[in-house]
């Protein structure tokens, strides 16, 4: 190794030692993780969070206790989202994803139903009837205190109008166990209900649900049911019942029960379904004569088939009742009687005498074997008949010659 190469190597080692002995410089501090501060309003079903100048929202979502996930993508600098059709009484987890500066941040919020376990109202059900009335009922939670009080709130998911129950049903004490309200025809197709409670003793959990109204509406029976019959057929006609919202005839289904009165036989009861699209009428073969019948009807949405109440029976036919067996017997007897009458008339005015059957029981062989000579006349030339001679007595003459 030459002198020059040694000198360069020594200088390089000095530079390296200098670098190792230098004090470390201060590194830039890490940026704090942004906090979106998510908040949730259960009554409005609204999720909100903080939005700074450099925050751009991406999406929000909700996962319910039943593992149903709803995700919504956001536009621009939106800082809220709403879950109008979500139910929360089982708890839920909310998620917000946003871009803050050059970073993407995801934040979660767990929501639980506040109050004592088992204190919420149970067996909550609602029913719409007569197009404009709605009844909701429930029972007290199994662990709810005696002084619990429940309240029903309704929100129309289309108009966003809200109302509380105007008339509560009360159990043996003072606890609300149901609600009756009028004006259901003003609701849209879907509502959200919330039954919450209060008690001085402890917090009461709530129950909530979304209801599709066509699934809980019971239709009135059809109006103006009439039955008209001719010699062979009967026609049932009716008017469309009053319902909460307009439906085409094809969306309505009817059920008719046609039965013979005072009969317990299954063959005398007929149950048929008729679509409203066929002109609100049903044609069937006329029943047995002299048999009194009745027809009653009920209606339903053809897509749901939740049948309403039966109409009052409409009677048709005469008052006398005949079973099918008795009717057949009477037809046979009538036919036989007609045949006998025709035979009598034919023999009386048109036909020849009918030979009588020989009576072997009362037969008298002596009478039958007698020969009545007076009926015979002399008939010469016939065999086995002798000649008949006439004998006369002649007196002897006394003259002398």
């Amino acid at each position: 190794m030459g002198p020059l190469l040694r000198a360069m190597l020594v200088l390089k080692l000095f530079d390296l030692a200098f670098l190792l002995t230098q004090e470390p410089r201060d590194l830039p501090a890490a940026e704090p993780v942004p906090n979106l501060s998510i908040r949730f309003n259960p009554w409005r079903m609204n999720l909100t969070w903080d939005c700074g100048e450099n925050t751009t929202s991406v999406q929000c979502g909700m996962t319910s206790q039943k593992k149903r996930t709803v995700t919504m993508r956001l536009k621009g600098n939106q800082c809220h989202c709403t879950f109008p059709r979500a139910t929360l009484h089982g708890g839920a987890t909310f998620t917000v994803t946003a871009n803050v500066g050059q970073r993407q941040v995801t934040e979660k919020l767990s929501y639980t139903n506040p109050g004592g376990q088992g204190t919420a109202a149970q067996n909550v059900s609602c029913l719409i009837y007569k197009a404009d009335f709605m009844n909701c009922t429930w029972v007290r939670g199994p662990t709810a205190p005696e002084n619990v009080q429940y309240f029903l709130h309704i929100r129309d998911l289309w108009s966003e109008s809200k109302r509380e129950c105007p008339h509560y049903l009360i159990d043996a004490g003072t606890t609300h166990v149901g609600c009756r309200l009028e004006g259901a025809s003003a609701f849209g197709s879907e509502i959200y209900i919330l039954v919450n409670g209060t008690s001085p003793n402890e917090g009461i959990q709530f129950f909530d649900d979304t209801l599709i109204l066509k699934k809980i509406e019971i239709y009135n029976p059809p109006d103006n049911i009439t039955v008209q019959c001719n010699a062979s057929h009967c026609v049932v006609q009716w008017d469309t019942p009053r319902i909460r919202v307009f439906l085409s005839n094809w969306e309505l289904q009817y059920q008719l029960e046609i039965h013979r009165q005072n009969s317990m036989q299954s063959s005398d009861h007929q149950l048929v379904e008729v679509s409203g699209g066929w002109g609100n009428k049903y044609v069937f073969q006329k029943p047995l004569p002299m048999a009194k019948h009745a027809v009653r009807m009920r209606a339903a949405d053809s897509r749901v088939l939740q049948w309403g109440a039966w109409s009052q029976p409409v009677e048709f036919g005469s008052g006398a009742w005949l079973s099918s067996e008795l009717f057949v017997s009477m037809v046979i007897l009538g036919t036989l009687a007609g045949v006998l009458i025709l035979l009598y008339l034919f023999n009386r005015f048109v036909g020849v005498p009918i030979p009588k059957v020989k009576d072997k029981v009362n037969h008298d062989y002596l009478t039958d074997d007698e020969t009545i000579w007076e009926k015979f006349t002399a008939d010469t030339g016939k065999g086995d008949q002798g000649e008949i001679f006439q004998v006369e007595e002649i007196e002897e003459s006394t003259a002398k010659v």
Side-chain angles (χ1 to χ4, degrees), residues 282-343:
Y282 175 68
V283 181
F284 62 98
Q285 188 174 2
K286 185 178 180 180
L288 297 175
M290 299 181 64
K292 193 169 186 179
H293 285 68
V295 59
R296 61 176 186 168
M297 296 183 60
R298 58 182 180 177
D301 189 315
S302 60
R303 297 160 297 184
V304 180
L305 286 184
Q306 176 147 300
W307 295 107
W310 287 105
S311 67
Q312 291 296 320
V314 176
E315 298 179 352
F316 63 98
S318 65
W321 175 83
L322 293 176
S323 67
S324 57
E325 293 83 359
L326 182 58
F327 175 75
V328 172
S329 300
M330 290 188 64
V331 170
I332 295 174
L333 291 175
T335 304
L336 291 175
V339 170
L340 293 175
I341 292 173
L342 288 176
L343 287 175

Side-chain angles (χ1 to χ4, degrees), residues 97-108:
T97 301
N99 292 324
V100 181
Q102 302 299 319
R103 301 181 60 177
Q104 188 174 87
V105 179
T106 299
E107 191 169 315
K108 294 183 178 182

